[in-house]
Structures are given as C-alpha cells and as structure tokens.
C-alpha cells in the first residue's frame, strides 16, 4: 500500500462523509427551529469550505493514481511481450533441430 493510495482512500472517505452529512442535514433542516437551523447553516458552510479544496486534492491524487495504474499496466504488458518473444525464440530453435528417428539411436 503506497502513501498515494492511502491518501486517496482517506480523501475519498472524507468526501463521502461530507456529502452524506450535507444530504442528511438538508433533509433534517425541514423540521428544525430557527436557532438550530442557524447552527446547522454555519456548520454546513464550514463543511462546504472544506469540500472545495478537498475536491481539487482528490482529483489531483486520483489522476496520479490512475497514471500509476496505467504505467503498471504497460509494464505488465511489456513483460508479456518479452515472454512471448522468448517463447517464439524457443519455438524457432526447437523447429530448427533435426528430428531424430529410431535409426539414429541404433549403434552403427
């Protein structure tokens, strides 16, 4: 587990928590009195101030994470091509060897 992957998971979890909080509070706000609603509005504004930079950071980390995964995919693909080339080499060598028959094994 890399630091980038751990940060991405933590940031995504925090984003999910913030969006869940806002969704719940929007539904609960319909049944609140004015004082509780003012406190809720302040808390929601503070969470909103956290979400904007968190969205940018998560997008940046996600792009680097995706780039890392694409790089890993290409390295695995290149290893497959190397292995395929080696298999072809062995097949060409095996195809060039003269076939032995029963007579080749008999003493002369």
């Amino acid at each position: 587990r890399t630091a980038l992957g751990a940060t991405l998971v933590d940031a995504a979890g925090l984003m999910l928590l913030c969006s869940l909080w806002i969704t719940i509070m929007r539904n609960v706000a319909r049944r609140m009195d004015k004082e509780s609603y003012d406190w809720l509005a302040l808390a929601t504004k503070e969470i909103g101030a956290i979400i904007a930079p968190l969205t940018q950071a998560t997008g940046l980390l996600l792009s680097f994470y995706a780039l890392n995964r694409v790089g890993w995919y290409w390295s695995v693909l290149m290893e497959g091509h190397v292995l395929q080339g080696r298999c072809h080499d062995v097949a060409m060598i095996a195809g060039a060897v003269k076939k032995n028959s029963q007579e080749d094994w008999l003493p002369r």
Side-chain angles (χ1 to χ4, degrees):
R1 190 171 154 166
T2 64
L4 179 64
T7 304
L8 183 64
V9 168
D10 291 343
L14 190 54
M15 288 280 296
L16 179 64
L17 183 66
C18 288
S19 65
L20 185 63
W21 169 263
I22 290 173
T23 303
I24 289 171
M25 289 302 120
R26 283 181 181 166
N27 291 325
V28 169
R30 296 177 186 159
R31 298 173 189 88
M32 296 180 107
D33 58 350
K34 176 75 170 135
E35 183 178 316
S36 297
Y37 183 79
D38 289 340
W39 178 84
L40 178 64
L42 179 64
T44 304
K45 283 181 186 178
E46 290 177 1
I47 290 174
I50 293 171
I51 287 176
L54 198 57
T55 302
Q56 294 171 351
T58 304
L60 180 68
L61 290 174
L62 185 61
S63 64
F64 282 124
Y65 184 75
L67 182 62
N68 186 20
R69 293 291 97 197
V70 169
W72 173 80
Y73 168 76
W74 281 109
S75 69
V76 169
L77 185 67
M78 293 308 295
E79 288 298 321
H81 285 211
V82 168
L83 183 63
Q84 181 182 16
R86 300 282 164 82
C87 289
H88 286 175
D89 292 344
V90 170
M92 287 177 59
I93 291 170
V97 173
K98 179 182 170 216
K99 290 186 177 181
N100 292 328
S101 66
Q102 184 68 27
E103 296 164 355
D104 293 335
W105 294 100
L106 294 175
R108 296 185 190 224

